[in-house]
Amino acid sequence: MISANNVTLRIGKKALFEDVNIKFTEGNCYGLIGANGAGKSTFLKILSGQLDTTNGDIVITPGQRLSVLEQDHFKYDEFPVLDTVIMGNQRLYDIMKEKDAIYAKEDFSDEDGVRAAELEAEFAEMDGWEAESNAATLLNGLGIDTDKHYSLMKDMDGNDKVKILLARALFGNPDILLLDEPTNHLDLDAIAWLEEFLINFENTVIVVSHDRYFLNKVCTHTCDIDYGKIQLYAGNYDFWYESSQLLIKQMKEANKKKEEKIKELQEFISRFSANASKSKQATSRKRALEKIEIDEIKPSSRKYPYIDFRPEREIGNEVLFVDGISKTINGVKVLDKVSFNVGHDDKIAFVGGNELAKTTLFQILAGELEPDEGTYKWGVTTSQAYFPKDNTKEFSNDYNITEWLTGYSPIKDVTYVRGFLGRMLFAGEDGVKKVKVLSGGEKVRCMLSKMMISGANCLIFDEPTNHLDMESISALNTGMIKFSGVILFACRDHQCVETTANRIIEILPNGSIIDKITTYDEYLESDEMARKRTIYTKTEDDED
């Protein structure tokens, strides 16, 4: 068990948390939610001891081991992958290294023998003999192939490092597990594996995530951070939302009844306070009036953008024809004779672990990259808007936000442009902020403004939910569902894929595809075996 007792944290004059009291108990998974800047990551740092409180303290049951998902992707660059994972249980790793050093001695003494025996006993008690196989199981489950387990961390790419550090946090059955955005940079398969792991995990988990589906799947409780307080709800994210909305509704209804009662008492007092025969009753009502307190209902600190993609032109029947597209990147064929046609009602989610393949295909369809083989053709009634995964070049200039968006607007009117920025929560002086200093989330909101102002009827999104908070993801999800045109997209947010897509195209490791008209959840259930294939070769029959 871990608990916060009267915890207050002040940063300058501002109190980020004020007198927080909360217990996290064994066998439960707690989702920590709140608007950007509410202090979710900060609270995890307080719980882990990385950050001191201004007042109050954190109490952990004696003897329990706490494990944290590391955020520094370069910290273990000089260590092998397998060692990095085992270091998740530092005591076990230290024993392994001390044993190896003793056995490597040429002048092995009696004292060394005694020490080695002590270490062997502790090692066995900690299931040390299973350490490497347990670490390998975690890595394989997250999609790190066995041939990478003995490579150095510095040789891993960014997404693999994220998975390895996650395996490190999960290793050794910690008593308390703190996870800050564990689904970031994970593909949908790895997220599904993590969900099952946490569902079956029997100790205490506290997790911060912007993935609503993930929180619904794994959380037994929800902790809502708002205005420096943490309110605990029993239930997952959807239950929290329904409960919080119901609570606000009940408070408003109670306040309405109180206001009606206040009005009634005030009218009586006004009418009869000067009447001697009614003076007693008037005095009694004055006392009753003084006791009535209207509940303060603070508006949530959460802010929801308004995302609405409106095509200027209705799309025709001929949308997109892709015929035999192949592409090799750095000697690896990521797309192999990919063919498909897109209909005017299609919202297609591109899935699979090969992110480079999806990005490459989108770059080709957006006209930013040439295929090695094959062709594609957009219909004459179509217009396209593209959201790239890497938007760095879009913001490598000295424009302010208003100037930047005006450059993409068909109407060069500042008021018109600011209307789109306002929908994306850029108000007032935000319009003159330089684009090169924007945060990751602000850049994404700018890109979504660009998509909206384009009036395109075919939208291509490559991981649009990266860097967004939960409120913005929810707004984007709604905008994609409502959009009347065609969408081609890749997204790590399960709920966004499930509620938006009516067709799934999975790009397999060898660059070929599986194409199904179905929802994502139905696809996972009906094509589980096909989805897990490591080799898929199209035959002539397949193409027919």
Side-chain angles (χ1 to χ4, degrees):
M1 184 188 77
I2 181 170
S3 61
N5 299 330
N6 298 313
V7 165
T8 296
L9 177 67
R10 295 186 179 278
I11 299 175
K13 294 182 178 179
K14 180 185 176 184
L16 192 58
F17 298 107
E18 192 91 52
D19 296 327
V20 170
N21 289 280
I22 190 167
K23 282 183 181 179
F24 303 97
T25 57
E26 186 178 342
N28 292 315
C29 179
Y30 299 85
L32 203 57
I33 63 171
N36 271 4
K40 301 182 294 292
S41 297
T42 301
F43 189 67
L44 285 189
K45 288 179 181 177
I46 291 172
L47 291 175
S48 66
Q50 298 174 56
L51 196 61
D52 290 331
T53 63
T54 306
N55 291 306
D57 52 16
I58 303 299
V59 178
I60 297 176
T61 301
Q64 291 200 336
R65 183 169 71 85
L66 182 145
S67 183
V68 178
L69 174 58
E70 294 273 5
Q71 302 297 319
D72 184 350
H73 294 178
F74 305 99
K75 185 175 181 179
Y76 301 97
D77 271 1
E78 300 307 317
F79 292 92
V81 168
L82 209 60
D83 279 22
T84 302
V85 175
I86 296 172
M87 287 166 71
N89 187 338
Q90 191 62 48
R91 177 56 188 160
L92 176 61
Y93 182 77
D94 291 343
I95 290 172
M96 291 172 66
K97 290 303 171 187
E98 188 176 351
K99 280 201 314 158
D100 290 346
I102 290 173
Y103 292 139
K105 284 185 175 182
E106 293 183 5
D107 54 341
F108 191 86
S109 66
D110 290 343
E111 289 81 3
D112 290 331
V114 171
R115 180 57 180 160
E118 291 172 349
L119 292 172
E120 290 290 5
E122 190 175 355
F123 184 71
E125 190 177 324
M126 298 177 74
D127 293 328
W129 297 111
E130 305 298 324
E132 289 197 4
S133 64
N134 290 340
T137 298
L138 292 172
L139 289 167
N140 290 334
L142 287 166
I144 304 294
D145 295 335
T146 304
D147 59 3
K148 295 181 179 179
H149 292 188
Y150 294 94
S151 302
L152 290 178
M153 284 287 285
K154 65 182 178 183
D155 297 326
M156 298 293 102
D157 66 28
N159 287 347
D160 280 351
K161 279 187 174 182
V162 169
K163 293 177 179 180
I164 294 161
L165 292 176
L166 179 55
R168 180 187 181 279
L170 304 179
F171 177 77
N173 195 37
D175 300 291
I176 301 162
L177 183 57
L178 306 183
L179 301 175
D180 192 357
E181 297 291 358
T183 62
N184 276 5
H185 306 292
L186 294 189
D187 55 72
L188 289 166
D189 282 344
I191 293 173
W193 180 90
L194 178 60
E195 287 166 358
E196 290 305 311
F197 181 94
L198 294 179
I199 287 168
N200 295 312
F201 189 72
E202 296 180 350
N203 297 331
T204 304
V205 183
I206 306 170
V207 59
V208 171
S209 177
H210 290 143
D211 188 326
R212 298 157 296 165
Y213 181 89
F214 176 78
L215 291 176
N216 278 329
K217 197 83 183 284
V218 306
C219 290
T220 61
H221 295 72
T222 300
C223 305
D224 179 31
I225 302 180
D226 215 349
Y227 293 104
K229 302 294 183 183
I230 301 182
Q231 181 71 40
L232 179 63
Y233 296 80
N236 61 15
Y237 177 80
D238 280 351
F239 183 84
W240 160 78
Y241 184 78
E242 292 169 7
S243 299
S244 61
Q245 295 303 303
L246 178 61
L247 181 61
I248 292 171
K249 182 181 177 183
Q250 289 173 338
M251 289 175 70
K252 285 180 177 178
E253 288 174 352
N255 278 352
K256 186 178 179 182
K257 289 179 180 177
K258 288 178 183 177
E259 287 166 357
E260 289 171 353
K261 185 66 176 176
I262 288 171
K263 186 178 178 182
E264 178 189 323
L265 292 172
Q266 286 174 335
E267 287 176 353
F268 185 92
I269 293 166
S270 177
R271 285 174 61 195
F272 298 111
S273 58
N275 187 322
S277 64
K278 298 277 189 177
S279 63
K280 259 191 175 182
Q281 294 177 42
T283 302
S284 173
R285 280 164 173 72
K286 279 182 182 179
R287 286 197 292 267
L289 181 62
E290 289 168 359
K291 290 178 181 178
I292 298 176
E293 292 184 5
I294 300 294
D295 294 322
E296 182 184 6
I297 304 175
K298 285 187 176 180
S300 173
S301 58
R302 293 173 172 82
K303 294 182 180 179
Y304 290 83
Y306 178 69
I307 299 177
D308 186 19
F309 304 107
R310 295 186 182 181
E312 288 185 355
R313 182 179 185 181
E314 188 175 341
I315 201 165
N317 290 326
E318 294 184 354
V319 179
L320 174 64
F321 304 92
V322 177
D323 184 22
I325 283 182
S326 295
K327 186 68 179 179
T328 298
I329 305 288
N330 297 327
V332 178
K333 182 168 275 192
V334 295
L335 298 173
D336 186 16
K337 298 179 180 176
V338 170
S339 299
F340 59 90
N341 296 333
V342 177
H344 67 279
D345 292 323
D346 281 341
K347 292 183 177 179
I348 307 174
F350 289 78
V351 302
N354 192 340
E355 294 189 19
L356 178 59
K358 288 176 278 187
T359 294
T360 301
L361 178 61
F362 291 156
Q363 287 176 327
I364 290 171
L365 298 180
E368 295 192 354
L369 197 63
E370 290 293 326
D372 296 335
E373 301 175 43
T375 60
Y376 69 94
K377 183 180 179 182
W378 288 99
V380 293
T381 63
T382 66
S383 55
Q384 302 84 42
Y386 172 48
F387 182 104
K389 181 188 293 186
D390 183 1
N391 57 37
T392 305
K393 67 179 182 180
E394 290 273 359
F395 300 99
S396 300
N397 55 67
D398 203 41
Y399 293 133
N400 64 40
I401 295 177
T402 304
E403 293 167 339
W404 178 86
L405 187 58
T406 301
Y408 296 106
S409 175
I411 300 173
K412 307 299 182 184
D413 176 73
V414 172
T415 303
Y416 178 78
V417 171
R418 280 185 175 270
F420 283 89
L421 292 174
R423 295 178 191 177
M424 298 307 297
L425 308 180
F426 293 110
E429 294 183 1
D430 286 340
V432 297
K433 188 185 287 188
K434 297 290 186 181
V435 295
K436 62 186 177 184
V437 302
L438 298 177
S439 68
E442 288 174 325
K443 287 178 179 178
V444 171
R445 285 190 277 124
C446 278
M447 291 299 296
L448 293 173
S449 298
K450 176 187 170 186
M451 301 281 281
M452 286 193 291
I453 211 168
S454 73
N457 55 25
C458 295
L459 306 180
I460 304 173
F461 292 103
D462 193 359
E463 302 294 353
T465 60
N466 288 359
H467 305 294
L468 289 183
D469 58 23
M470 199 176 294
E471 292 71 41
S472 297
I473 292 173
S474 179
L476 172 60
N477 193 176
T478 300
M480 292 172 73
I481 292 169
K482 287 169 55 182
F483 181 59
S484 60
V486 165
I487 302 179
L488 312 180
F489 72 108
C491 182
R492 292 190 179 92
D493 188 277
H494 185 119
Q495 189 167 333
C496 194
V497 176
E498 168 59 20
T499 57
T500 302
N502 54 24
R503 179 175 168 189
I504 305 295
I505 293 180
E506 177 171 5
I507 303 181
L508 295 159
N510 68 344
S512 60
I513 65 170
I514 299 173
D515 186 353
K516 297 284 184 182
I517 298 175
T518 182
T519 67
Y520 184 57
D521 283 349
E522 288 170 347
Y523 180 70
L524 294 181
E525 292 170 9
S526 63
D527 284 286
E528 185 68 23
M529 295 307 294
R531 195 170 64 89
K532 295 298 183 184
R533 292 175 189 164
T534 56
I535 297 175
Y536 181 88
T537 305
K538 283 193 171 184
T539 64
E540 294 298 320
D541 290 339
D542 289 323
E543 293 178 353
D544 292 338

